[in-house]
Amino acid sequence: MNAERPIPTVLSIAGSDSGGGAGIQADLKAFAACGVHGMTAITAITAQNTVGVDLIEAVSPEMIVAQIKAVVDDIGVDAVKIGMLGDSPTILAVASGLDLIGDAPVVLDPVMVSETGADLLAVEAREALISQILPRATVVTPNIPEARVISGESEDSRQPQLAHAIVALGAQVAVVTGGHSEQMIDLFFDGQREVEIGGEVHPGRSAHGSGCTHSSALASYLALGLDPLEAAREARELASRAVAESLEGIGAGPGPVNALGLKL
């Protein structure tokens, strides 16, 4: 946290979800819930709702860099959360934008597929993500399927193996989230320590936006001065609570998670 600013600032570099459940909309809710000021550099506009993604339109690389520069020049950035990047030109633009930010911690949520099954990262862009963005990340927060794609590990690989492989690719810390496992435990690895992070499990509750909420909360807690392990623990707690209080009945599909604790 920069002592000259009255409140920490966190920049979300991610896509927009017109349904308000995930993407920058979920990020801004998580930032507010954590008590930090949220800012955005939008990478893509999606036409989506609770049942699917109808259309995706990428923002130009020039506009992505301009958004980041505008925020850096005037406000400053204490932490960064990176979400949906979409394609290689976007990834290269974000890499250029990170050069403007300095040494603020970066949380990478390697968004590849939406909750409704839509592809959000082109297959040919995966290598660019791994080579251009992942080594600059303080923390990478893939779920198990994403971690297998990034690491190249087999379908039967477990969280510890995946976390080690991701750190070997250059990330400082890997938090492989456990939403696709029976135990629902997150696995933290920083190159030395393996730590299991548990929390309440809420079967049957909607988790639309849970990954965005988790990674945004983790970035917020880094901006607030927590170390990565404690930030990961606090982020898990907030994301679990957001799932427990998810907004069922918002749309025909799975409703959004509820980081702000809105009352139905």
Side-chain angles (χ1 to χ4, degrees), residues 58 83-95 108 110-112 119-135 149-150:
M84 176 186 173
L85 297 180
D87 57 24
S88 293
T90 297
I91 290 169
L92 295 177
V94 170
L108 171 62
V111 177
M112 294 182 177
D119 288 330
L120 300 180
L121 179 67
V123 173
E124 61 271 18
R126 292 173 180 174
E127 182 53 43
L129 179 73
I130 294 166
S131 63
Q132 299 297 317
I133 306 297
L134 188 145
V149 171
I150 292 168

Side-chain angles (χ1 to χ4, degrees), residues 23-87:
I24 61 163
Q25 287 82 357
D27 297 345
L28 289 171
K29 294 172 195 175
F31 296 156
C34 293
V36 302
H37 174 64
M39 308 169 295
T40 62
I42 299 174
T43 59
I45 301 169
T46 71
Q48 68 174 291
N49 49 35
T50 63
V51 296
V53 179
D54 296 327
L55 187 65
I56 299 173
E57 184 172 304
V59 172
S60 72
E62 295 78 12
M63 187 60 180
I64 292 169
V65 176
Q67 291 175 85
I68 296 171
K69 185 176 187 302
V71 167
V72 170
D73 287 350
D74 177 48
I75 302 171
V77 177
D78 293 316
V80 179
K81 175 268 170 83
I82 299 175
M84 176 186 173
L85 297 180
D87 57 24

Side-chain angles (χ1 to χ4, degrees), residues 214-225:
H214 173 262
S215 56
S216 295
L218 208 162
S220 299
Y221 291 124
L222 291 177
L224 288 163

Side-chain angles (χ1 to χ4, degrees), residues 135-157:
R136 306 180 72 162
T138 308
V139 184
V140 183
T141 62
N143 59 37
I144 293 172
E146 290 166 343
R148 287 173 178 152
V149 171
I150 292 168
S151 66
E153 297 289 339
S154 66
E155 286 298 312
D156 60 355
S157 52

